[in-house]
Amino acid sequence: MFGYRVPAPDEAMLISGGRRGLGGAPFRVVTGHGKFVLPVFRKVRFLTLSMCESEVTETCVTRQGIALHVRAVIAFKVGNDHESIINAGQRFLSDQEQMSVLTGRIFAGHLRAIIGSMTVEEIVTERQKLAAEVLDTSKTEMAKIGLTVDSLQIQSIDDGDTGYIDAMSAPHKAAIQRQAQIAQAQATQAATQAEQAAARAQAEYARQTAVVKAEYSAEVDRAQARAAQAGPLAQADAQQEVLAAQTELAQRQARLRQQQLVAEIVKPAEAQAERVRILAAAEAQRMKVQAEAAASYDRVALDRMLIDQLPQIVKEAAGGLAGANVNVLNGADGLGEIAAGLVSQGLTILDSVRQDLSNQKSDGRRPEEREDDVLPPLAAGNEQTSTDDHEDID
């Protein structure tokens, strides 16, 4: 539509002519909407509100007197409020590129001033602090010209050929290099250990594979050997069974032969031996009975012979007294006592002969061999009687 103007989103439309703007400004500020402008009677200009950039490269001297080459980048723009737009419009509307040049110069001055109050160590290690102080000191000046700073970045700090920063960083470099070497050594060691572990695992796998193959091969060999030996083993088993059957048959035949020998030889021999033993026992018993009968007969015959000889013995004893000078006292009583003494003497002689015969029986002599032993005692008796012919009988 003719006479209707609309600013871009990053622009501020400045309308001059007609009535003044806010605060006695020589123009009105329109942002974010359109405005009807009378042609010829009103004049419209546009001020950018977009972000602008300014680069600063400055040689600054630190508190230690060391020159540093500092490079910084400033991002800035015109403020969004009407006061900032008015201030920036009055200064840069005809030549808006001057905003970057002026901003760089302002920040270069503040940068030199702040670096002059710091040491190299502080500048290198505390760049953020340096940027914050520069922004803080330049805020008032930038507001006066209608600009606001969004950020300040210190891109590089260089001491040229002095080598101060390199010397300052040498211990750190050495420590870093030492740490890097340690890390490299640890990494190498870890890699070596990993390789050794992998080699051991591979060797173990190869060993297990070889063992399994050997076991399979041994199993196959055993199976083949069993298969090859199956025929001979079966034949050997059959032969062993035949031998076992033959052995059992031989044992049965031996037992049968043994039973036959027992029945044919041992049993008859045992029966014959039993018969001989019974006959011998019977013969021994018969001989014992005969011996006992003979002994009994000998005693009876001897007793009978002694009884038969007893009168003769008494007679011989009495005959020994026939020529003796005997005085008989007490009459018939004294004579009876003499007769009684003769009989008693004969009985004593008889007992002596029996005892002698019993001792001679143990010699094994027969009765007819012992008959001569009876007479000597009788003769002895006669001799004794003759020796007593001259004794007086009281």
Side-chain angles (χ1 to χ4, degrees):
M1 185 176 181
F2 182 75
Y4 190 80
R5 307 293 297 272
V6 179
D10 58 347
E11 289 180 339
M13 185 173 62
L14 306 180
I15 302 172
S16 60
R19 58 181 184 176
R20 292 180 174 272
L22 295 176
F27 50 82
R28 289 179 293 171
V29 178
V30 178
T31 58
H33 61 86
K35 192 73 175 178
F36 185 78
V37 181
L38 293 174
V40 181
F41 298 100
R42 303 285 186 271
K43 188 175 181 179
V44 178
R45 301 287 297 271
F46 293 94
L47 179 66
T48 181
L49 301 179
S50 63
M51 181 67 65
C52 299
E53 180 181 299
S54 177
E55 183 175 342
V56 177
T57 302
E58 192 70 20
T59 300
C60 308
V61 179
T62 65
R63 189 175 63 186
Q64 300 161 319
I66 298 173
L68 298 178
H69 301 285
V70 181
R71 180 174 176 272
V73 176
I74 303 100
F76 67 95
K77 65 181 290 296
V78 178
N80 293 327
D81 58 295
H82 284 71
E83 184 179 359
S84 297
I85 293 172
I86 291 171
N87 292 333
Q90 289 178 344
R91 291 171 174 80
F92 305 111
L93 184 61
S94 59
D95 190 4
Q96 297 186 22
E97 293 181 357
Q98 288 296 321
M99 288 189 296
S100 298
V101 176
L102 183 60
T103 300
R105 290 176 179 175
I106 293 173
F107 273 90
H110 288 289
L111 194 61
R112 285 194 299 272
I114 294 174
I115 288 177
S117 63
M118 298 176 67
T119 63
V120 179
E121 288 80 4
E122 292 175 348
I123 295 170
V124 172
T125 58
E126 298 179 2
R127 291 189 181 188
Q128 191 64 31
K129 178 182 177 181
L130 173 62
E133 289 185 2
V134 172
L135 286 175
D136 186 63
T137 55
S138 62
K139 185 182 296 183
T140 302
E141 294 183 7
M142 295 293 288
K144 289 180 180 180
I145 60 178
L147 301 177
T148 60
V149 180
D150 289 340
S151 66
L152 171 64
Q153 295 295 329
I154 306 298
Q155 292 188 344
S156 64
I157 299 174
D158 186 12
D159 59 352
D161 297 334
T162 59
Y164 187 89
I165 296 177
D166 292 338
M168 183 181 66
S169 62
H172 301 286
K173 288 181 179 180
I176 291 173
Q177 289 178 357
R178 183 171 62 253
Q179 293 177 356
Q181 292 175 356
I182 293 173
Q184 183 64 33
Q186 291 177 350
T188 304
Q189 182 179 2
T192 303
Q193 292 176 352
E195 291 178 358
Q196 292 177 354
R200 286 195 299 268
Q202 186 176 2
E204 180 64 20
Y205 179 76
R207 186 187 67 81
Q208 293 179 356
T209 303
V211 169
V212 172
K213 288 182 178 180
E215 290 178 353
Y216 287 162
S217 179
E219 185 66 24
V220 171
D221 293 341
R222 286 195 295 269
Q224 292 177 353
R226 286 195 297 268
Q229 295 176 356
L233 287 176
Q235 185 176 1
D237 291 339
Q239 292 178 355
Q240 185 175 3
E241 292 178 357
V242 171
L243 291 175
Q246 291 177 353
T247 302
E248 184 178 359
L249 179 59
Q251 291 176 353
R252 290 181 180 178
Q253 290 177 353
R255 288 195 296 270
L256 180 59
R257 181 57 181 165
Q258 183 179 6
Q259 293 174 0
Q260 291 177 354
L261 291 175
V262 169
E264 294 176 358
I265 298 175
V266 177
K267 291 299 184 180
E270 290 179 352
Q272 182 65 23
E274 183 66 21
R275 187 178 67 82
V276 170
R277 186 184 62 79
I278 293 173
L279 292 176
E283 182 65 21
Q285 186 68 25
R286 185 183 64 80
M287 292 177 66
K288 180 179 179 182
V289 171
Q290 288 178 355
E292 290 178 354
S296 177
Y297 175 76
D298 291 341
R299 285 194 301 270
V300 172
L302 182 58
D303 291 342
R304 182 176 296 174
M305 183 183 64
L306 291 175
I307 293 171
D308 292 342
Q309 290 181 0
L310 183 58
Q312 184 65 25
I313 294 170
V314 175
K315 181 179 180 181
E316 292 293 335
L321 296 176
N325 187 11
V326 179
N327 294 323
V328 179
L329 302 179
N330 298 329
D333 293 333
L335 184 58
E337 289 176 1
I338 293 172
L342 292 174
V343 174
S344 176
Q345 186 178 3
L347 292 176
T348 301
I349 294 170
L350 180 59
D351 291 335
S352 178
V353 171
R354 286 180 176 177
Q355 185 176 0
D356 188 31
L357 289 174
S358 297
N359 293 331
Q360 291 177 1
K361 181 183 176 182
S362 60
D363 309 6
R365 290 185 294 175
R366 300 182 59 83
E368 56 272 14
E369 296 174 356
R370 295 193 296 266
E371 291 177 355
D372 296 336
D373 297 334
V374 179
L375 297 178
L378 294 177
N382 293 333
E383 292 176 359
Q384 183 179 2
T385 305
S386 62
T387 57
D388 296 336
D389 286 343
H390 301 286
E391 292 182 359
D392 294 335
I393 299 175
D394 294 331

